[in-house]
Amino acid sequence: GAVVSQHPSWVICKSGTSVKIECRSLDFQATTMFWYRQFPKQSLMLMATSNEGSKATYEQGVEKDKFLINHASLTLSTLTVTSAHPEDSSFYICSARKGGGLDTQYFGPGTRLTVL
Amino acid sequence: GDSVTQMEGPVTLSEEAFLTINCTYTATGYPSLFWYVQYPGEGLQLLLKATKADDKGSNKGFEATYRKETTSFHLEKGSVQVSDSAVYFCALSDRMDSSYKLIFGSGTRLLVRP
C-alpha cells in the first residue's frame, strides 16, 4: 500500500500562535511531498512542493515566512503556520510521491485548522 | 498555464443510474490525467489514471478515457451505488514538469439516493 498520515487531524488555536502539522509516509519513502489548502466546497490549492533535504518551492502568492515547510527525512514533512490568524483557518492536506519517476501522489486525510 | 475544468455539482442520481462527470483540460506539455475521490471525512484517494492519449483508466466500475482531440477525461459509471456518494476531482500532472505537481479541477459532489 501507500499510506500517508497527518497529525493532528484537527487543531484549534488562538490568533498569534504557531501551529505545526506533520505529514508522514508510513510504508514508502517519499522523494517529494506537497502541501495543499482546501477551502469549503472548493478545490485543492497547491501551496508548496518540498523535496527531502532542500528548501520548499512555494506557489505564487503563498507567504513562505508564514507557512514554513521542513522536509527533514524521506518520510516526514512538516508545515508550520506561524502567527496564525482567523483567515488561516482551513483544511490543510499533504500528499507524497513515490520515487522512480512515478507521477502518482498519495494523500493524507487532512488537518482542520481553526484559528480563534 | 495548465488548468482543469469540471462540471459543477452537485450531481444527484438514483441508485443504479448512469453517471457522467465531465472534465476538460488545458496543458502545454504532455499531461497524465487522474480522477481522485474524497469520501466524507476522508482524504483523497486515487480512483484511476491515464498517462497517454486513448488510454482508458478503470477502477471499481468507473472508467475514463484520455481524449487528446477533445482534451477531455470524462468519468463514467454504468450503475452508481449509494456508497459512491463523494466528491470527485479531476486532475492533471504535466510530465514535462519535474515537480510532478497536480493541478485540480474544482471538484464535483455526487449524491446517490437509494
Side-chain angles (χ1 to χ4, degrees):
Chain A
V3 181
V4 176
S5 70
Q6 280 185 242
H7 177 80
S9 56
W10 58 271
V11 57
I12 301 173
C13 69
K14 293 183 179 180
S15 186
T17 61
S18 294
V19 174
K20 180 184 285 188
I21 302 170
E22 292 186 349
C23 175
R24 294 181 185 272
S25 56
L26 299 184
D27 52 1
F28 67 98
Q29 293 187 328
T31 54
T32 307
M33 288 185 169
F34 303 84
W35 287 95
Y36 296 85
R37 187 170 176 176
Q38 186 180 28
F39 293 96
K41 299 184 179 180
Q42 294 189 30
S43 187
L44 283 75
M45 180 192 77
L46 179 65
M47 299 175 66
T49 302
S50 81
N51 294 292
E52 185 264 340
S54 61
K55 289 185 178 180
T57 301
Y58 290 82
E59 295 298 303
Q60 192 172 8
V62 177
E63 299 176 60
K64 60 181 180 181
D65 294 331
K66 181 167 189 61
F67 299 99
L68 301 179
I69 292 172
N70 182 273
H71 193 158
S73 76
L74 285 173
T75 60
L76 173 65
S77 177
T78 61
L79 168 68
T80 301
V81 183
T82 62
S83 186
H85 292 283
E87 58 265 29
D88 298 324
S89 298
S90 192
F91 196 55
Y92 293 89
I93 301 173
C94 75
S95 70
R97 185 180 72 84
K98 288 184 177 179
L102 299 176
D103 55 2
T104 300
Q105 294 182 28
Y106 299 93
F107 285 79
T111 297
R112 172 77 58 194
L113 170 63
T114 301
V115 184
L116 302 177
Chain B
D2 295 353
S3 65
V4 176
T5 302
Q6 281 182 244
M7 63 186 289
E8 288 193 19
V11 174
T12 303
L13 296 173
S14 297
E15 204 165 24
E16 299 183 0
F18 184 86
L19 168 71
T20 300
I21 299 179
N22 290 337
C23 171
T24 57
Y25 68 90
T26 302
T28 54
Y30 302 92
S32 294
L33 301 174
F34 306 83
W35 278 100
Y36 281 85
V37 57
Q38 186 177 32
Y39 297 103
E42 299 184 17
L44 272 76
Q45 301 175 24
L46 177 65
L47 182 59
L48 53 85
K49 63 182 284 188
T51 58
K52 62 183 187 296
D54 300 325
D55 268 3
K56 177 184 284 188
S58 61
N59 185 26
K60 299 181 180 179
F62 291 89
E63 293 183 339
T65 302
Y66 189 142
R67 302 287 189 198
K68 188 176 179 181
E69 63 276 14
T70 54
T71 62
S72 65
F73 193 56
H74 304 322
L75 182 68
E76 297 181 337
K77 187 175 185 182
S79 176
V80 294
Q81 306 299 312
V82 173
S83 58
D84 294 327
S85 298
V87 181
Y88 292 81
F89 292 92
C90 185
L92 71 80
S93 174
D94 187 345
R95 285 174 288 151
M96 299 299 287
D97 182 349
S98 60
S99 71
Y100 295 98
K101 64 185 181 184
L102 284 169
I103 295 172
F104 284 90
S106 56
T108 302
R109 183 174 299 276
L110 170 65
L111 177 61
V112 181
R113 300 189 184 280

